[in-house]
Amino acid sequence: MNIDPEAIGMASATVEMDALEAKYPDWMATYNEVLPDSLATRAELSELWATAPTPFAQGLIYGKFAMRLEIAAHTGIPFV
């Protein structure tokens, strides 16, 4: 049996992202607008985190926040 855990995880996340887009289009529009992987300010990510409509969305923003903190630690560029 050939199981690809990455493909399984991606499929599950895609379902969750599609559900967020369908049920919470305004929140997703803000998410897409602020570009949480690279350009969102700390305040913008904090606002997304505080308003996340589902546990998946909260975890998504937690991951983005943690990633940005790690990037700041490694580059010396503050995450503000």
Coordinates of all heavy atoms in Angstrom, one line a residue:
M1 N 0.8 -1.2 0.0 CA 0.0 0.0 0.0 C 0.9 1.2 0.0 O 1.7 1.4 0.9 CB -0.9 0.0 1.2 CG -1.9 1.1 1.3 SD -2.7 0.9 2.9 CE -4.3 1.1 2.5
N2 N 0.7 2.1 -1.0 CA 1.5 3.3 -1.1 C 0.7 4.5 -0.7 O -0.2 5.0 -1.4 CB 2.0 3.5 -2.6 CG 3.0 4.6 -2.8 OD1 3.5 5.1 -1.8 ND2 3.2 4.9 -4.0
I3 N 1.0 5.0 0.5 CA 0.3 6.2 1.1 C 1.3 7.4 1.1 O 2.4 7.3 1.6 CB -0.1 5.8 2.5 CG1 -1.1 4.7 2.5 CG2 -0.7 7.1 3.2 CD1 -1.5 4.2 3.9
D4 N 0.8 8.5 0.6 CA 1.5 9.7 0.5 C 1.0 10.7 1.6 O 0.0 11.4 1.3 CB 1.5 10.3 -0.9 CG 2.3 11.6 -1.0 OD1 2.9 12.1 0.0 OD2 2.3 12.1 -2.1
P5 N 1.6 10.7 2.8 CA 1.1 11.6 3.8 C 1.0 13.1 3.4 O 0.0 13.8 3.9 CB 2.0 11.4 5.0 CG 2.9 10.3 4.6 CD 2.8 10.0 3.2
E6 N 1.9 13.5 2.6 CA 1.9 14.9 2.2 C 0.6 15.2 1.4 O -0.1 16.2 1.5 CB 3.1 15.3 1.4 CG 3.2 16.8 1.1 CD 4.5 17.1 0.4 OE1 5.5 16.5 0.6 OE2 4.5 18.1 -0.4
A7 N 0.3 14.3 0.5 CA -0.9 14.5 -0.4 C -2.1 14.4 0.4 O -3.1 15.1 0.2 CB -0.9 13.4 -1.5
I8 N -2.2 13.5 1.4 CA -3.3 13.4 2.3 C -3.5 14.7 3.1 O -4.6 15.2 3.2 CB -3.2 12.2 3.2 CG1 -3.3 10.9 2.4 CG2 -4.3 12.2 4.3 CD1 -2.9 9.7 3.2
G9 N -2.4 15.2 3.7 CA -2.5 16.5 4.4 C -2.9 17.6 3.5 O -3.8 18.5 3.9
M10 N -2.4 17.7 2.3 CA -2.7 18.8 1.4 C -4.2 18.7 1.0 O -4.9 19.7 0.9 CB -1.8 18.8 0.2 CG -2.1 20.0 -0.7 SD -1.8 21.6 0.1 CE 0.0 21.6 0.2
A11 N -4.7 17.5 0.8 CA -6.1 17.4 0.4 C -7.0 17.8 1.5 O -8.0 18.5 1.3 CB -6.4 15.9 0.0
S12 N -6.7 17.5 2.7 CA -7.5 17.9 3.9 C -7.4 19.4 4.0 O -8.5 20.0 4.3 CB -6.9 17.2 5.1 OG -7.6 17.6 6.3
A13 N -6.3 20.0 3.9 CA -6.1 21.4 4.1 C -6.9 22.2 3.0 O -7.5 23.2 3.2 CB -4.7 21.8 4.1
T14 N -6.8 21.6 1.8 CA -7.6 22.2 0.6 C -9.1 22.2 0.9 O -9.7 23.2 0.6 CB -7.2 21.5 -0.7 OG1 -5.8 21.6 -0.9 CG2 -8.0 22.1 -1.8
V15 N -9.6 21.2 1.4 CA -11.0 21.1 1.8 C -11.3 22.2 2.8 O -12.3 22.9 2.7 CB -11.4 19.7 2.3 CG1 -12.8 19.7 3.0 CG2 -11.3 18.7 1.2
E16 N -10.5 22.3 3.8 CA -10.7 23.3 4.9 C -10.6 24.8 4.3 O -11.4 25.6 4.7 CB -9.7 23.2 6.0 CG -9.8 21.9 6.8 CD -11.0 21.9 7.8 OE1 -11.6 23.0 8.0 OE2 -11.3 20.9 8.3
M17 N -9.6 25.0 3.4 CA -9.5 26.3 2.8 C -10.7 26.7 2.0 O -11.2 27.8 2.0 CB -8.2 26.4 2.0 CG -6.9 26.4 2.9 SD -6.8 27.8 4.1 CE -6.3 29.1 2.9
D18 N -11.2 25.7 1.2 CA -12.3 25.9 0.4 C -13.6 26.2 1.2 O -14.4 27.0 0.9 CB -12.6 24.7 -0.5 CG -11.5 24.5 -1.6 OD1 -10.8 25.5 -1.9 OD2 -11.5 23.4 -2.2
A19 N -13.7 25.5 2.3 CA -14.8 25.7 3.2 C -14.8 27.2 3.8 O -15.8 27.8 3.9 CB -14.9 24.7 4.4
L20 N -13.5 27.6 4.2 CA -13.4 29.0 4.7 C -13.8 30.0 3.6 O -14.5 30.9 3.9 CB -11.9 29.2 5.1 CG -11.5 28.7 6.4 CD1 -10.0 28.9 6.6 CD2 -12.2 29.4 7.6
E21 N -13.4 29.8 2.4 CA -13.7 30.7 1.3 C -15.2 30.7 1.1 O -15.8 31.8 0.9 CB -13.0 30.2 0.0 CG -13.2 31.1 -1.1 CD -12.4 32.4 -1.0 OE1 -11.2 32.4 -0.7 OE2 -13.0 33.5 -1.2
A22 N -15.9 29.6 1.2 CA -17.3 29.5 1.0 C -18.1 30.1 2.1 O -19.1 30.8 1.9 CB -17.8 28.1 0.7
K23 N -17.7 29.8 3.4 CA -18.5 30.3 4.5 C -18.2 31.6 5.0 O -19.0 32.3 5.6 CB -18.4 29.3 5.6 CG -19.1 28.0 5.4 CD -19.0 27.1 6.7 CE -19.8 25.9 6.6 NZ -19.7 25.1 7.8
Y24 N -16.9 32.0 4.8 CA -16.4 33.3 5.4 C -15.6 34.1 4.4 O -14.4 34.4 4.5 CB -15.5 33.0 6.6 CG -16.2 32.1 7.6 CD1 -15.9 30.7 7.7 CD2 -17.1 32.6 8.5 CE1 -16.5 29.9 8.6 CE2 -17.7 31.8 9.5 CZ -17.5 30.5 9.5 OH -18.1 29.7 10.4
P25 N -16.3 34.5 3.3 CA -15.6 35.2 2.2 C -14.9 36.5 2.6 O -13.9 36.8 2.1 CB -16.7 35.4 1.1 CG -18.0 35.3 1.9 CD -17.7 34.4 3.0
D26 N -15.6 37.2 3.5 CA -15.0 38.5 4.0 C -13.7 38.3 4.7 O -12.7 39.0 4.5 CB -16.0 39.3 4.8 CG -17.2 39.8 4.1 OD1 -17.1 39.8 2.8 OD2 -18.2 40.1 4.7
W27 N -13.7 37.3 5.6 CA -12.4 37.0 6.3 C -11.3 36.5 5.4 O -10.2 36.9 5.5 CB -12.7 35.9 7.4 CG -11.5 35.7 8.3 CD1 -11.3 36.4 9.5 CD2 -10.5 34.7 8.2 NE1 -10.1 35.9 10.0 CE2 -9.6 34.9 9.3 CE3 -10.2 33.7 7.2 CZ2 -8.5 34.1 9.4 CZ3 -9.1 33.0 7.4 CH2 -8.2 33.1 8.5
M28 N -11.7 35.6 4.4 CA -10.7 35.2 3.5 C -10.2 36.3 2.6 O -9.0 36.3 2.2 CB -11.3 34.0 2.6 CG -11.3 32.7 3.3 SD -9.7 32.1 3.9 CE -8.9 31.8 2.3
A29 N -11.1 37.2 2.2 CA -10.6 38.4 1.4 C -9.6 39.2 2.2 O -8.6 39.6 1.6 CB -11.8 39.3 1.1
T30 N -9.8 39.4 3.5 CA -8.8 40.1 4.3 C -7.5 39.2 4.3 O -6.4 39.8 4.2 CB -9.3 40.3 5.7 OG1 -10.5 41.1 5.6 CG2 -8.3 41.0 6.6
Y31 N -7.6 37.9 4.6 CA -6.5 37.0 4.6 C -5.7 37.2 3.3 O -4.4 37.3 3.3 CB -7.0 35.6 4.8 CG -5.9 34.5 4.7 CD1 -5.2 34.2 5.8 CD2 -5.7 33.9 3.5 CE1 -4.2 33.2 5.7 CE2 -4.7 32.9 3.4 CZ -4.0 32.6 4.5 OH -3.0 31.6 4.4
N32 N -6.3 37.1 2.2 CA -5.7 37.2 0.9 C -5.1 38.6 0.6 O -4.1 38.7 0.0 CB -6.6 36.8 -0.2 CG -6.9 35.3 -0.2 OD1 -6.0 34.5 0.1 ND2 -8.1 34.9 -0.5
E33 N -5.7 39.6 1.1 CA -5.3 41.0 0.9 C -4.0 41.3 1.7 O -3.1 42.0 1.1 CB -6.4 41.9 1.3 CG -6.1 43.4 1.1 CD -7.2 44.3 1.5 OE1 -8.4 44.0 1.0 OE2 -7.0 45.1 2.3
V34 N -3.9 40.8 2.9 CA -2.7 41.2 3.7 C -1.5 40.4 3.5 O -0.4 40.7 3.9 CB -3.0 41.2 5.2 CG1 -4.2 42.2 5.6 CG2 -3.3 39.8 5.8
L35 N -1.6 39.3 2.8 CA -0.5 38.4 2.4 C 0.3 38.0 3.7 O 1.4 38.4 3.9 CB 0.5 39.1 1.4 CG -0.1 39.5 0.1 CD1 0.8 40.3 -0.7 CD2 -0.6 38.3 -0.7
P36 N -0.3 37.1 4.5 CA 0.3 36.7 5.8 C 1.6 36.0 5.7 O 2.4 36.0 6.7 CB -0.8 35.8 6.4 CG -1.6 35.3 5.2 CD -1.6 36.4 4.2
D37 N 2.0 35.4 4.5 CA 3.3 34.8 4.5 C 4.5 35.8 4.4 O 5.6 35.4 4.7 CB 3.4 33.9 3.2 CG 2.5 32.6 3.4 OD1 2.3 32.2 4.5 OD2 2.1 32.0 2.4
S38 N 4.2 37.0 3.9 CA 5.3 37.9 3.7 C 5.1 39.3 4.0 O 6.0 39.9 4.6 CB 5.7 37.8 2.2 OG 4.6 38.1 1.4
L39 N 4.0 39.9 3.8 CA 3.8 41.3 3.9 C 2.9 41.8 5.1 O 3.0 42.9 5.5 CB 3.3 41.9 2.7 CG 4.2 41.8 1.4 CD1 3.5 42.4 0.2 CD2 5.5 42.4 1.7
A40 N 2.1 40.9 5.6 CA 1.2 41.3 6.7 C 2.0 41.8 7.9 O 3.0 41.3 8.3 CB 0.3 40.2 7.2
T41 N 1.5 42.9 8.5 CA 2.1 43.4 9.7 C 1.7 42.5 10.9 O 0.8 41.7 10.8 CB 1.7 44.8 10.0 OG1 0.3 44.8 10.3 CG2 2.0 45.8 8.9
R42 N 2.4 42.7 12.0 CA 2.1 41.9 13.2 C 0.7 42.2 13.6 O -0.1 41.3 14.0 CB 3.1 42.2 14.3 CG 3.0 41.3 15.4 CD 4.1 41.7 16.5 NE 4.2 40.7 17.5 CZ 5.3 40.1 17.8 NH1 6.5 40.4 17.2 NH2 5.4 39.1 18.7
A43 N 0.3 43.5 13.5 CA -1.1 43.9 13.9 C -2.1 43.2 13.0 O -3.2 42.8 13.5 CB -1.2 45.4 13.9
E44 N -1.8 43.2 11.7 CA -2.8 42.6 10.8 C -2.9 41.1 11.0 O -4.1 40.5 11.0 CB -2.3 42.8 9.3 CG -2.5 44.2 8.9 CD -1.8 44.5 7.5 OE1 -0.8 43.9 7.2 OE2 -2.4 45.4 6.8
L45 N -1.8 40.4 11.3 CA -1.9 39.0 11.6 C -2.6 38.7 13.0 O -3.4 37.8 13.1 CB -0.5 38.3 11.7 CG 0.0 37.8 10.4 CD1 1.4 37.1 10.6 CD2 -0.9 36.8 9.7
S46 N -2.4 39.6 13.9 CA -3.1 39.5 15.2 C -4.6 39.7 15.0 O -5.4 39.0 15.7 CB -2.5 40.5 16.2 OG -1.2 40.3 16.5
E47 N -5.0 40.6 14.2 CA -6.4 40.8 13.9 C -7.0 39.6 13.2 O -8.1 39.2 13.6 CB -6.6 42.1 13.0 CG -8.0 42.4 12.7 CD -8.9 42.8 13.9 OE1 -8.3 43.3 14.9 OE2 -10.1 42.7 13.8
L48 N -6.3 39.0 12.3 CA -6.8 37.8 11.6 C -7.0 36.7 12.6 O -7.9 35.9 12.6 CB -5.9 37.4 10.5 CG -6.0 38.1 9.2 CD1 -4.9 37.6 8.2 CD2 -7.4 37.8 8.5
W49 N -6.0 36.6 13.5 CA -6.0 35.5 14.5 C -7.2 35.7 15.5 O -7.9 34.7 15.8 CB -4.7 35.6 15.3 CG -4.2 34.3 16.0 CD1 -4.9 33.1 16.0 CD2 -3.0 34.2 16.7 NE1 -4.1 32.2 16.7 CE2 -3.0 32.8 17.2 CE3 -2.0 35.0 17.0 CZ2 -1.9 32.3 17.9 CZ3 -0.9 34.5 17.8 CH2 -0.9 33.2 18.2
A50 N -7.4 36.9 15.9 CA -8.5 37.2 16.8 C -9.9 37.0 16.2 O -10.8 36.7 16.9 CB -8.4 38.6 17.4
T51 N -9.9 37.2 14.9 CA -11.2 37.0 14.2 C -11.4 35.7 13.5 O -12.4 35.6 12.8 CB -11.4 38.2 13.3 OG1 -10.4 38.2 12.3 CG2 -11.4 39.6 14.0
A52 N -10.4 34.8 13.6 CA -10.5 33.6 12.9 C -11.8 32.9 13.2 O -12.1 32.6 14.3 CB -9.3 32.7 13.2
P53 N -12.5 32.5 12.1 CA -13.9 31.9 12.4 C -14.0 30.5 12.7 O -15.0 30.0 13.1 CB -14.6 32.2 11.0 CG -13.5 32.2 10.0 CD -12.3 32.7 10.7
T54 N -12.9 29.7 12.6 CA -12.9 28.3 12.8 C -11.6 27.9 13.5 O -10.6 28.6 13.4 CB -13.0 27.5 11.5 OG1 -11.8 27.6 10.8 CG2 -14.2 27.9 10.7
P55 N -11.5 26.7 14.2 CA -10.3 26.3 14.7 C -9.2 26.1 13.7 O -8.0 26.4 13.9 CB -10.7 24.9 15.4 CG -12.1 25.1 15.8 CD -12.7 25.9 14.6
F56 N -9.6 25.6 12.5 CA -8.6 25.5 11.4 C -8.0 26.8 11.1 O -6.8 27.0 10.9 CB -9.2 24.9 10.2 CG -8.3 24.8 9.0 CD1 -7.4 23.8 8.9 CD2 -8.3 25.8 8.0 CE1 -6.5 23.7 7.8 CE2 -7.4 25.8 7.0 CZ -6.5 24.7 6.9
A57 N -8.8 27.9 11.0 CA -8.3 29.2 10.6 C -7.4 29.7 11.7 O -6.4 30.4 11.5 CB -9.5 30.2 10.4
Q58 N -7.8 29.5 13.0 CA -6.9 29.9 14.1 C -5.5 29.2 14.0 O -4.5 29.8 14.2 CB -7.5 29.5 15.4 CG -8.7 30.4 15.7 CD -9.5 29.9 17.0 OE1 -9.3 28.7 17.4 NE2 -10.3 30.7 17.5
G59 N -5.5 27.9 13.7 CA -4.3 27.2 13.5 C -3.5 27.7 12.3 O -2.2 27.8 12.4
L60 N -4.2 28.0 11.3 CA -3.5 28.6 10.1 C -2.8 29.8 10.4 O -1.6 30.0 10.1 CB -4.6 28.8 9.0 CG -4.1 29.4 7.7 CD1 -3.2 28.5 6.9 CD2 -5.3 29.9 6.9
I61 N -3.4 30.7 11.1 CA -2.8 32.0 11.5 C -1.7 31.8 12.5 O -0.7 32.4 12.4 CB -3.9 33.0 11.9 CG1 -4.9 33.3 10.8 CG2 -3.2 34.3 12.4 CD1 -4.3 33.8 9.5
Y62 N -1.9 30.9 13.4 CA -0.9 30.6 14.4 C 0.4 30.1 13.6 O 1.5 30.6 14.0 CB -1.3 29.5 15.4 CG -0.2 28.9 16.2 CD1 0.3 29.6 17.3 CD2 0.5 27.8 15.9 CE1 1.3 29.2 18.1 CE2 1.6 27.3 16.6 CZ 2.0 28.0 17.7 OH 3.1 27.6 18.5
G63 N 0.2 29.3 12.7 CA 1.4 28.8 11.9 C 2.1 29.9 11.1 O 3.3 30.0 11.1
K64 N 1.3 30.8 10.6 CA 1.9 32.0 9.8 C 2.6 32.9 10.8 O 3.7 33.4 10.5 CB 0.8 32.8 9.1 CG -0.1 32.0 8.2 CD 0.7 31.6 7.0 CE -0.3 30.9 6.0 NZ 0.4 30.4 4.8
F65 N 2.0 33.1 12.0 CA 2.6 34.0 13.0 C 3.9 33.4 13.5 O 5.0 34.1 13.5 CB 1.6 34.1 14.2 CG 1.8 35.4 15.0 CD1 1.2 36.5 14.7 CD2 2.7 35.3 16.1 CE1 1.3 37.7 15.5 CE2 2.9 36.5 16.9 CZ 2.2 37.7 16.6
A66 N 3.9 32.1 13.8 CA 5.1 31.4 14.2 C 6.2 31.4 13.1 O 7.4 31.6 13.4 CB 4.8 30.0 14.6
M67 N 5.8 31.2 11.9 CA 6.8 31.3 10.8 C 7.4 32.7 10.7 O 8.6 32.8 10.5 CB 6.1 30.9 9.5 CG 7.0 31.0 8.2 SD 6.1 30.9 6.7 CE 5.2 32.5 6.7
R68 N 6.6 33.7 10.8 CA 7.1 35.1 10.7 C 8.1 35.4 11.8 O 9.1 36.1 11.7 CB 6.0 36.1 10.6 CG 5.1 35.9 9.4 CD 5.7 36.5 8.1 NE 6.1 37.8 8.2 CZ 5.3 38.9 8.0 NH1 4.0 38.6 7.6 NH2 5.7 40.1 8.1
L69 N 7.8 34.9 13.0 CA 8.7 35.1 14.2 C 10.0 34.4 13.9 O 11.1 34.9 14.2 CB 8.1 34.5 15.5 CG 6.9 35.4 16.0 CD1 6.2 34.6 17.2 CD2 7.3 36.7 16.5
E70 N 10.0 33.2 13.4 CA 11.2 32.5 13.0 C 12.0 33.2 12.0 O 13.3 33.3 12.0 CB 10.9 31.0 12.6 CG 10.6 30.1 13.7 CD 11.7 29.9 14.7 OE1 12.9 29.7 14.2 OE2 11.5 29.9 15.9
I71 N 11.3 33.7 10.9 CA 12.0 34.4 9.9 C 12.7 35.6 10.5 O 13.9 35.9 10.2 CB 11.1 34.9 8.8 CG1 10.6 33.6 8.0 CG2 11.7 35.9 7.9 CD1 9.5 33.9 7.0
A72 N 12.0 36.3 11.4 CA 12.6 37.5 12.1 C 13.8 37.1 12.9 O 14.9 37.8 12.9 CB 11.6 38.2 13.0
A73 N 13.8 36.0 13.6 CA 14.9 35.6 14.4 C 16.1 35.2 13.6 O 17.2 35.5 13.9 CB 14.4 34.3 15.2
H74 N 15.9 34.6 12.4 CA 17.0 34.2 11.5 C 17.5 35.3 10.7 O 18.7 35.3 10.3 CB 16.5 33.1 10.7 CG 16.4 31.8 11.4 ND1 17.4 31.0 11.8 CD2 15.3 31.2 11.9 CE1 17.0 29.9 12.4 NE2 15.7 30.0 12.5
T75 N 16.7 36.3 10.4 CA 17.2 37.4 9.5 C 17.6 38.6 10.2 O 18.3 39.5 9.7 CB 16.1 37.8 8.5 OG1 15.0 38.4 9.2 CG2 15.7 36.6 7.6
G76 N 17.1 38.7 11.5 CA 17.4 40.0 12.2 C 16.5 41.1 11.8 O 16.6 42.2 12.3
I77 N 15.5 40.9 11.0 CA 14.5 41.9 10.6 C 13.3 41.8 11.5 O 12.7 40.7 11.4 CB 14.2 41.7 9.1 CG1 15.4 41.8 8.2 CG2 13.1 42.7 8.7 CD1 15.1 41.4 6.7
P78 N 13.0 42.8 12.2 CA 11.9 42.7 13.2 C 10.6 42.4 12.5 O 10.3 42.9 11.4 CB 11.9 44.1 13.9 CG 13.2 44.7 13.5 CD 13.7 44.1 12.3
F79 N 9.8 41.6 13.2 CA 8.4 41.4 12.7 C 7.5 42.3 13.5 O 7.2 42.1 14.6 CB 8.0 39.9 13.0 CG 6.6 39.6 12.7 CD1 5.9 40.1 11.6 CD2 5.9 38.7 13.6 CE1 4.6 39.7 11.4 CE2 4.6 38.4 13.4 CZ 3.9 38.9 12.3
V80 N 7.2 43.4 12.9 CA 6.4 44.5 13.6 C 5.1 44.7 12.9 O 4.8 44.3 11.8 CB 7.1 45.8 13.6 CG1 8.3 45.7 14.5 CG2 7.6 46.3 12.3

